[in-house]
Amino acid sequence: MELIKSQFAVTYEIKDGDIKATAAGVMDDRPYGASVRISCVNTFEVLNEKTQFTNTVKQEVFFKIPCPDDLTAGNVGRFFQQKFKNHETVVCLGGLPDRNNVITLINPVEYFLPETATTKKAPIAPKA
């Protein structure tokens, strides 16, 4: 996904979650690309006024990082695995959740790969 115009931005801080690196494939005769999905849950306590009982409510979202190929998906998955193991937060940009609570991140995939001469972690800017 390539950002061509930005009139708003949503910044997410991903602190932990369940990581799944998926290879490209076909399901129900529909092709899909390689990606990484991170499932995250926030848990809230909400007082029910009528029962006077505090309920536990979970809000789950899935962050999706599209990848150009299967090996890149594995490398991006390892990036998040290492960050979570070290208790480090990953700051990302994305849109709003779709009806399935999937948030597609708009950071280029290189943002999640180890620093090299060709992969610099620059902020996202729309095309001129």
Side-chain angles (χ1 to χ4, degrees), residues 19 24 36 40 45 52 57 69 72 81 86 105 113 117 119 124:
I19 307 161
V36 173
C40 300
E45 289 186 336
Q52 292 297 301
V57 178
D69 56 61
T72 300
Q81 189 176 51
N86 294 335
L105 298 180
L113 298 174
T119 58
I124 305 271

Side-chain angles (χ1 to χ4, degrees), residues 13-22 35-41 60-65 73 76-81 83-84 90 92 101-103 105 112:
E13 294 181 6
I14 305 175
K15 301 175 183 179
D16 196 8
D18 297 322
I19 307 161
K20 182 178 181 182
T22 304
S35 67
V36 173
R37 287 188 183 236
I38 303 166
S39 170
C40 300
V41 177
E60 185 173 26
V61 296
F62 305 91
F63 293 97
K64 179 181 176 183
I65 301 109
V76 171
R78 279 186 283 284
F79 168 84
F80 278 95
Q81 189 176 51
K83 293 291 185 180
F84 295 166
V90 180
C92 308
N101 287 342
V102 175
I103 300 165
L105 298 180
F112 306 106

